[in-house]
Amino acid sequence: MKKYNSYRGNSPQSKRKRWRTALLALIIAGLLAFAALEFVIFRGTKGQTAHTGDGPEVMVVFGCHVNPDGPSIQLRERLDAALGYWQEHPDVKIVVSGGKGDNEHQSEAQCMHDYLISHGVDEESVLMEDKSRNTHQNVLYTRELLRRTVDSGAWEQPGRYVLVSSDFHLSRILMLWGRGFGTTSNVTTVPAPVTNIPYRVQMLFREPLALVKSFVFDRDFPVDP
């Protein structure tokens, strides 16, 4: 006679039920985490205004892909947003930040520089940071460039900063800027619209992952000597 197993928790059906419950819990937790990240990103799309900081204002325009015939749609939207701010604040100094990708014929900084100059910006008001390959490097190398420029006496020490990029990008930029510069209280952000729908859908899924990656790994901002 077979011995009756009164502990039904060890039955195959019970084990499968526990696995399904655990899997469902993981899926719900993942969806909640994804929604929280999207909320953080969405909050950054609204822009912010500096509430402290005295002295000259510097605008930093973050690069994006360059096409063979000029700036991509996304990059042009960032540049047009920057031009809109410049037209209202013609004394602002500008840093364009972006290196040359493997599939680009020139650096993003050079492309942005040429676009701004062709639209009336004084060339002496524009600095090019053309080494960076990602957002972390954008912030790090921009900080180094500004330090060298101020130390040389070419520019005064900035008191306020204006950061220009695609709207979805600004939350990550602000996080990294706070790490690199120590504060974001003297920062104004100018969100550029993203009208390319396929690109926007792609960023809907990519940017949360990039935000987590930057939060965990992009912490290398050497202390000023």
Side-chain angles (χ1 to χ4, degrees), residues 3-220:
K3 185 182 293 185
Y4 178 71
N5 186 356
S6 61
Y7 184 56
R8 296 185 178 181
N10 287 329
S11 67
Q13 294 86 352
S14 180
K15 289 180 179 180
R16 284 195 295 269
K17 183 177 180 180
R18 289 200 299 271
W19 274 109
R20 286 196 296 268
T21 301
L23 180 60
L24 180 60
L26 285 174
I27 292 173
I28 292 174
L31 290 174
L32 289 174
F34 183 80
L37 290 169
E38 291 289 0
F39 175 76
V40 171
I41 293 167
F42 175 77
R43 188 172 57 183
T45 67
K46 302 303 179 182
Q48 74 171 39
T49 302
H51 57 271
T52 64
D54 296 320
E57 197 168 53
V58 169
M59 177 163 59
V60 182
V61 189
F62 288 74
C64 193
H65 184 68
V66 174
N67 291 332
D69 59 347
S72 62
I73 295 174
Q74 294 78 26
L75 183 54
R76 190 166 63 248
E77 288 170 337
R78 298 181 188 190
L79 290 166
D80 289 342
L83 285 170
Y85 189 90
W86 167 76
Q87 289 167 355
E88 296 180 0
H89 306 83
D91 294 330
V92 68
K93 302 291 187 181
I94 302 174
V95 177
V96 287
S97 177
K100 180 180 178 298
D102 296 335
N103 59 346
E104 295 174 319
H105 70 286
Q106 63 176 171
S107 72
E108 295 167 5
Q110 184 66 61
C111 180
M112 291 189 284
H113 168 276
D114 295 346
Y115 188 92
L116 293 175
I117 301 309
S118 70
H119 285 75
V121 177
D122 183 0
E123 188 167 6
E124 294 184 357
S125 298
V126 183
L127 288 179
M128 289 192 296
E129 182 289 293
D130 58 2
K131 298 189 302 178
S132 57
R133 301 292 293 269
N134 55 50
T135 306
H136 172 234
Q137 292 179 356
N138 285 142
V139 175
L140 177 60
Y141 296 159
T142 294
R143 189 185 70 169
E144 294 175 353
L145 176 61
L146 286 171
R147 184 188 300 120
R148 293 195 303 269
T149 303
V150 170
D151 288 347
S152 72
W155 284 10
E156 296 180 46
Q157 177 64 42
R160 297 180 304 277
Y161 298 94
V162 181
L163 310 181
V164 183
S165 191
S166 301
D167 54 12
F168 66 83
H169 194 201
L170 289 171
S171 289
R172 182 154 52 102
I173 290 173
L174 281 172
M175 179 184 67
L176 294 171
W177 192 271
R179 289 177 180 174
F181 285 78
T183 183
T184 59
S185 63
N186 59 349
V187 169
T188 294
T189 59
V190 176
V194 179
T195 59
N196 185 325
I197 300 303
Y199 181 76
R200 188 164 196 91
V201 171
Q202 178 186 357
M203 291 303 104
L204 176 70
F205 295 97
R206 178 181 173 183
E207 187 61 21
L209 300 177
L211 186 62
V212 171
K213 178 263 181 186
S214 287
F215 178 78
V216 175
F217 296 107
D218 293 339
R219 297 179 176 273
D220 181 22

